[in-house]
Amino acid sequence: GRYVQLRIQRKDSPAQEITVRALKSVKPLLYRRWVENNRRIVTEKSQGKLGYIHIPDMGKAGIAEFLRSYPIAYDAQGLIIDVRFNGGGHVSTLILQRLALKRFGLDLTRWHDANFAYPISSPRGCMVALCNEHAGSDGDMFSFSFKRLGLGPLLGTRTWGGVVGI
């Protein structure tokens, strides 16, 4: 979080000083690399047929990650929802409502070539959720609810089962 002055010397040009603000932690960068690597693997192994969404918690970061990933993933032939290492929170019902939408039609317009899901943004294909023993609190509830609602299989290791962390 501190400002640092750097002197940059490029070949055949004068040195230049710049000021940058250093990161407080590399954790967000490591998380992003992990998610993007998982997404790349899913895309490669499925030949682009599956979408991947990781939800790190059921709070601000989790809903932001879901809303960032969902628009590029929901129209795939299948969807992997990853709640491993989910830190809990209070937004699982918002995410489950979106995933539980059943697509029953396509909106074909006479002036455009595009088809639109009906209802809008409803998942196209089958879904699976991944969980592990590090999914707690509302992440634990999400896993139970995903399975209970019959949205798809729940794979991985058993969640810790505490639901309310405190």
Side-chain angles (χ1 to χ4, degrees):
R2 294 183 179 179
Y3 289 95
V4 179
Q5 281 194 326
L6 301 175
R7 178 183 285 261
I8 299 173
Q9 176 70 54
R10 291 194 174 102
K11 195 177 190 181
D12 300 329
S13 61
Q16 196 177 16
E17 285 194 14
I18 61 169
T19 303
V20 296
R21 189 172 185 182
L23 295 174
K24 291 180 182 179
S25 169
V26 296
K27 192 173 180 180
L29 296 176
L30 295 174
Y31 171 73
R32 179 62 41 216
R33 183 171 69 180
W34 182 76
V35 168
E36 294 306 325
N37 187 53
N38 289 345
R39 185 173 285 122
R40 182 187 54 76
I41 291 169
V42 167
T43 300
E44 285 176 7
K45 298 283 185 185
S46 72
Q47 297 172 339
K49 295 177 184 169
L50 299 178
Y52 173 83
I53 299 171
H54 182 261
I55 306 171
D57 63 28
M58 295 297 169
K60 288 190 295 187
I63 195 74
E65 187 67 27
F66 179 77
L67 294 173
R68 180 183 300 117
S69 300
Y70 189 75
I72 59 173
Y74 80 89
D75 205 33
Q77 290 178 27
L79 191 54
I80 298 171
I81 312 295
D82 189 349
V83 292
R84 294 175 297 164
F85 310 103
N86 185 287
H90 299 95
V91 299
S92 68
T93 55
L94 298 172
I95 294 169
L96 288 162
Q97 286 172 348
R98 181 67 62 95
L99 295 175
L101 279 174
K102 296 296 181 202
R103 182 181 292 200
F104 58 85
L106 290 175
D107 186 358
L108 306 171
T109 62
R110 78 175 55 125
W111 297 285
H112 303 286
D113 291 334
N115 315 346
F116 301 99
Y118 195 85
I120 293 172
S121 300
S122 54
R124 175 179 173 195
C126 57
M127 290 183 275
V128 63
L130 305 178
C131 66
N132 65 7
E133 67 276 13
H134 301 291
S137 193
D138 203 29
D140 208 352
M141 269 319 287
F142 175 90
S143 300
F144 170 79
S145 301
F146 186 90
K147 186 176 180 179
R148 183 68 178 242
L149 289 169
L151 297 178
L154 181 63
L155 304 175
T157 56
R158 189 179 182 110
T159 60
W160 73 282
V163 181
V164 178
I166 312 237

